[in-house]
Amino acid sequence: MSLHVDKISGIRPVGNLDLYKVREVLASSQISSDQKIKFIRHNHAEISHLVEEKISSDDFKIIMDNRPLELFKPFKNSYTKAGDKKLLAIALGIKPNEVDNYIKNVNLQVRSMQDLNVMGLSKDNYKEVKTYVFRHGTKEQLINFFDYELSHAKNVLKMLYHTLEYNSGGVADYFIRPIHRLDNGTMLGIYNVIDKNLKSSRSAGKISDVQAQETAEWALARIYQIQNNQSFHNAIKLRKELS
């Protein structure tokens, strides 16, 4: 995107404005804060119209990727969740108070492991709901969507290694916050999903016996590490509160 600066309006994108260009301007390290503020003021009406009208699946993901949830910031995260729900409602073309039921219905369909076409759910709508669930969903929803992702992955090993790393928008990031406790029951549910899908891929000839075994062992160790990281962070928080 080509940009130019003028003294009145600051940074202005050349050509039609869309949410991707807005995000690109606000995330740029080459543009000053004052210029970004002027850009928002100058384009306020158009930006508001873009957000209220429709958000594409890609736009929604970009916004979510740039709205990080923070460790030990429950109030800030609750406001972020409210904003995320509104953005999801806009992306889905429904009202915010309909989002919870929509997610519950999609979760039931995902749990059945049916193809998106069979579910009558568009690929974009599924991606938007999945992104939201991996940030704010219940543990049951997380496990169901995780299972669905692995079951339909072209490369189950690549997806597994990715989602169990931090800053991936996946399983590991879900448990970075104390509100999402990685208890032993949830840990068992996650590992059962991994074990099932590794065995399925091995039976289908997509991965070898050695790959299945080594990945299963790595995944188990990784889940314990995520749980221990969460316990460690909670201990630090408790120590600060008591000091």
Side-chain angles (χ1 to χ4, degrees), residues 21-36:
K21 291 179 181 177
V22 172
R23 176 261 174 190
E24 198 172 29
V25 169
L26 299 184
S28 174
S29 60
Q30 300 178 347
I31 301 173
S32 71
S33 296
D34 287 343
Q35 290 172 336
K36 291 177 183 179

Side-chain angles (χ1 to χ4, degrees), residues 167-224:
N167 301 315
S168 67
V171 171
D173 287 334
Y174 179 88
F175 292 106
I176 192 65
R177 293 186 294 152
I179 193 173
H180 294 155
R181 292 291 298 151
L182 182 49
D183 53 80
N184 291 335
T186 303
M187 184 167 65
L188 179 60
I190 290 173
Y191 185 75
N192 285 341
V193 164
I194 294 171
D195 187 58
K196 182 191 77 172
N197 283 284
L198 286 175
K199 288 178 178 176
S200 177
S201 292
R202 183 188 62 192
S203 297
K206 295 180 179 179
I207 60 176
S208 67
D209 290 346
V210 172
Q211 285 177 312
Q213 180 64 28
E214 289 181 347
T215 304
E217 292 174 0
W218 171 85
L220 182 59
R222 180 60 185 156
I223 295 170
Y224 270 107

Side-chain angles (χ1 to χ4, degrees), residues 55-66:
I55 300 176
S56 72
S57 180
D58 288 340
D59 287 334
F60 183 76
K61 186 177 187 308
I62 288 169
I63 294 172
M64 293 301 100
D65 287 346
N66 286 276

Side-chain angles (χ1 to χ4, degrees), residues 116 122-130 145 148-149:
L116 290 178
S122 74
K123 184 177 180 180
D124 282 349
N125 284 1
Y126 166 76
K127 286 167 58 180
E128 290 151 0
V129 173
K130 179 198 72 175
F145 274 76
Y148 190 86
E149 285 289 287

Side-chain angles (χ1 to χ4, degrees), residues 36-51:
K36 291 177 183 179
I37 292 171
K38 290 179 181 178
F39 165 78
I40 294 172
R41 287 175 179 169
H42 179 83
N43 297 286
H44 176 74
E46 192 171 356
I47 292 172
S48 298
H49 177 70
L50 282 172
V51 172

Side-chain angles (χ1 to χ4, degrees), residues 22-148:
V22 172
R23 176 261 174 190
E24 198 172 29
V25 169
L26 299 184
S28 174
S29 60
Q30 300 178 347
I31 301 173
S32 71
S33 296
D34 287 343
Q35 290 172 336
K36 291 177 183 179
I37 292 171
K38 290 179 181 178
F39 165 78
I40 294 172
R41 287 175 179 169
H42 179 83
N43 297 286
H44 176 74
E46 192 171 356
I47 292 172
S48 298
H49 177 70
L50 282 172
V51 172
E52 292 298 334
E53 182 178 321
K54 180 66 178 176
I55 300 176
S56 72
S57 180
D58 288 340
D59 287 334
F60 183 76
K61 186 177 187 308
I62 288 169
I63 294 172
M64 293 301 100
D65 287 346
N66 286 276
R67 287 165 62 85
L69 297 168
E70 298 182 25
L71 188 65
F72 306 131
K73 299 288 184 179
F75 291 110
K76 181 182 184 301
N77 289 333
S78 67
Y79 283 110
T80 302
K81 179 179 179 180
D84 289 353
K85 179 176 286 189
K86 181 177 180 182
L87 289 169
L88 178 60
I90 295 169
L92 296 173
I94 61 177
K95 297 177 181 178
N97 61 6
E98 297 174 334
V99 167
D100 288 341
N101 282 334
Y102 189 98
I103 292 174
K104 288 179 181 178
N105 289 332
V106 175
N107 178 58
L108 290 174
Q109 297 179 75
V110 164
R111 192 167 62 186
S112 70
M113 288 295 152
Q114 297 184 67
D115 185 82
L116 290 178
N117 293 329
V118 176
M119 290 193 285
L121 188 68
S122 74
K123 184 177 180 180
D124 282 349
N125 284 1
Y126 166 76
K127 286 167 58 180
E128 290 151 0
V129 173
K130 179 198 72 175
T131 299
Y132 183 90
V133 165
F134 272 72
R135 285 167 66 86
H136 305 294
T138 65
K139 294 174 184 177
E140 179 205 1
Q141 290 169 349
L142 174 80
I143 290 174
N144 289 338
F145 274 76
F146 179 42
D147 193 5
Y148 190 86

